[in-house]
Amino acid sequence: MEKAFLSVEGLNKRYVADGPPVFDNVSFGISKGEFVCVIGHSGCGKTTILNVLAGLESPSGGVVIMDQREVKGPSLDRGVVFQSHALMPWFSVLGNVVFAVKSRWPDWPRDKAEEHARRFIDMVGLKGAEHKKPAELSGGMKQRVGIARAFAIEPKMLLLDEPFGALDALTRGVVQDELLKICSATRQTVFMITHDVDEAILLADKIFLMSNGPRARIAEIVVNTMPKTRTRETMHHDPQFYRIRNHLVDFLVNRSRRIQAGDGAEVRNLIAATPVVRPGLEGDDASRPQSSALA
Ligand SMILES: Nc1ncnc2c1ncn2[C@@H]1O[C@H](COP(=O)(O)OP(=O)(O)OP(=O)(O)O)[C@@H](O)[C@H]1O
């Protein structure tokens, strides 16, 4: 049996001692080089799960194993990008990225760290802006610095919490394209939270759908069956795009609530294992659960 690169088993989190857990029984696996997006309604615990994966928060139960080691605290093995970019305002673009590079490789001389940082600044299309301070940058540029910084430490896993949430549609598209390019060039493993179903279909290999909280769970794993060569401009010409999109929207509008309310067979299946579905294709059948560790 193939072991997942990141393996999450039986995770739950309770913020109030005698209250219900925000999420419960969350188990999944992510292979090396896989891009996973998580979608679910506000409050189901997506950010909490991401923080647990980052080692910034402890679960109330369950374990996270990455590359055969249990995640017990923050590490430079995992790069995190939040919705607010959290740049150091007194440093330039270059200074912000170099700071991260020096934390990762403290023995590197300054010129080696700068050269390395510049490579990632170029990659996100910020060549020429190296000496600007965050206050002189647009929102999209700041977010790109955050992405360059996360990539520059060459993490084993990238954790993205709605990184484009605050960007206008045009800038969001440009930065999504940059991210897609870098991820396929570096075969980066990514766990990303988004509220945008089109963004998930563009970027993800698999989309995890979370039911509503409390006691939220990963209700379904949707395999993205669109061709790898999809682009933002052309993907909506493919009928498969709408099959996947309708499936995701139907989940958010109808099924996420039903599952939370504890609707019969659907919930029983979930407890056994997370269903893996390929919307619109033969074998699209949420009643055929597969082991999430293999998903
Ligand atoms: N530090 C905390 N203390 C107490 N409750 C918390 C804390 N952090 C989160 N919660 C609660 O846990 C639940 C899940 O929060 P979380 O931010 O993980 O959800 P989310 O799915 O990421 O939501 P959104 O999509 O709105 O960002 C919410 O009800 C929230 O109020």
Side-chain angles (χ1 to χ4, degrees):
M1 189 193 294
E2 194 201 337
K3 269 267 172 222
F5 176 69
L6 178 94
S7 162
V8 172
E9 285 159 28
L11 218 57
N12 68 71
K13 179 72 183 182
R14 208 180 279 272
Y15 282 110
V16 185
D18 52 356
V22 176
F23 54 83
D24 199 7
N25 248 308
V26 167
S27 300
F28 58 85
I30 301 182
S31 306
K32 208 166 171 48
E34 203 163 49
F35 197 129
V36 165
C37 275
V38 184
I39 289 186
H41 283 292
S42 188
C44 67
K46 302 177 296 295
T47 296
T48 306
I49 293 176
L50 183 136
N51 285 339
V52 171
L53 300 188
L56 298 170
E57 189 138 19
S58 312
S60 308
V63 283
V64 178
I65 314 266
M66 193 184 83
D67 205 11
Q68 299 172 42
R69 285 219 198 118
E70 186 171 351
V71 170
K72 285 192 162 159
S75 152
L76 290 166
D77 280 346
R78 292 175 296 278
V80 189
V81 181
F82 293 107
Q83 185 168 0
S84 63
H85 36 79
L87 302 178
M88 285 172 278
W90 56 90
F91 279 155
S92 64
V93 167
L94 183 62
N96 267 282
V97 181
V98 166
F99 185 82
V101 173
K102 291 283 281 175
S103 326
R104 176 81 164 89
W105 295 284
D107 300 337
W108 281 14
R110 174 85 197 181
D111 55 347
K112 183 172 178 181
E114 272 197 15
E115 193 190 317
H116 183 85
R118 280 179 194 279
R119 209 154 51 82
F120 290 90
I121 291 169
D122 290 359
M123 241 188 219
V124 296
L126 285 180
K127 198 178 173 72
E130 295 89 339
H131 299 294
K132 293 203 160 137
K133 296 271 171 60
E136 301 172 77
L137 304 176
S138 69
M141 290 165 94
K142 286 182 208 162
Q143 236 10 13
R144 285 193 233 181
V145 180
I147 292 168
R149 182 176 58 182
F151 270 93
I153 60 167
E154 297 183 356
K156 291 181 178 171
M157 175 122 202
L158 197 58
L159 301 167
L160 307 174
D161 192 351
E162 286 188 70
F164 313 132
L167 305 183
D168 65 272
L170 211 61
T171 314
R172 176 185 271 241
V174 173
V175 188
Q176 281 170 346
D177 288 345
E178 305 278 4
L179 179 69
L180 204 54
K181 234 187 307 170
I182 308 173
C183 283
S184 51
T186 57
R187 290 210 67 238
Q188 179 69 54
T189 312
V190 185
F191 180 90
M192 170 169 164
I193 298 172
T194 180
H195 281 283
D196 180 338
V197 293
D198 293 355
E199 178 169 273
I201 301 172
L202 175 67
L203 298 174
D205 299 308
K206 283 183 188 150
I207 301 157
F208 291 178
L209 298 178
M210 282 191 73
S211 59
N212 294 1
R215 298 183 201 288
R217 18 178 118 246
I218 309 270
E220 213 171 273
I221 294 171
V222 177
V223 178
N224 191 350
T225 46
M226 295 281 291
K228 266 276 187 200
T229 49
R230 61 189 175 269
T231 65
R232 209 156 32 87
E233 287 79 21
T234 58
M235 70 176 179
H236 54 278
H237 298 313
D238 186 332
Q240 187 58 9
F241 169 75
Y242 292 98
R243 294 185 195 114
I244 300 172
R245 192 176 198 284
N246 291 345
H247 187 91
L248 302 181
V249 172
D250 178 57
F251 177 86
L252 289 172
V253 176
N254 300 309
R255 296 179 49 227
S256 59
R257 233 174 324 136
R258 263 200 343 249
I259 292 169
Q260 182 202 30
D263 203 11
E266 205 150 15
V267 174
R268 278 197 301 279
N269 269 347
L270 278 180
I271 291 166
T274 310
V276 177
V277 299
R278 293 170 176 77
L281 296 187
E282 217 181 321
D284 162 22
D285 181 1
S287 67
R288 283 194 320 144
Q290 298 177 22
S291 161
S292 55
L294 284 174

